[in-house]
Amino acid sequence: MEMKCKTCGRALKTEDEGIIWRRCEICKTPVCFNDIHYMGTKVKGLYKDYIMVIPVCEDELKRKK
Ligand SMILES: [Zn+2]
Ligand SMILES: [Zn+2]
């Protein structure tokens, strides 16, 4: 299956997942490593809340502001 990077439109292959691209943790869209961003998000833990860093597309950063 052929996919495209959400940000730059570059063609991505399924077998290259984790090598040249990842899925945005929020919208689940493929994003290449050139365009991926990392965002800290608060997660409810068993004893206390902690910050987890997740890969996201450019759009989620804009949405946060
Ligand atoms: Zn890209
Ligand atoms: Zn996204």
Side-chain angles (χ1 to χ4, degrees):
M1 199 180 119
E2 191 124 311
M3 288 157 301
K4 277 180 179 173
C5 167
K6 190 187 180 185
T7 306
C8 69
R10 171 179 168 195
L12 305 167
K13 290 185 187 131
T14 312
E15 61 262 37
D16 290 331
E17 179 168 7
I19 304 163
I20 65 159
W21 67 273
R22 294 193 68 165
R23 252 170 231 285
C24 167
E25 202 64 39
I26 294 170
C27 65
K28 308 293 177 192
T29 316
V31 184
C32 77
F33 278 179
N34 288 334
D35 301 311
I36 202 104
H37 296 272
Y38 292 90
M39 191 169 81
T41 183
K42 219 176 199 180
V43 179
K44 254 201 178 326
L46 199 54
Y47 302 105
K48 57 176 184 177
D49 293 354
Y50 59 97
I51 302 291
M52 194 174 74
V53 176
I54 56 165
V56 296
C57 69
E58 207 178 65
D59 297 346
E60 321 305 346
L61 297 178
K62 293 175 196 158
R63 205 176 297 174
K64 264 241 146 165
K65 280 171 196 164

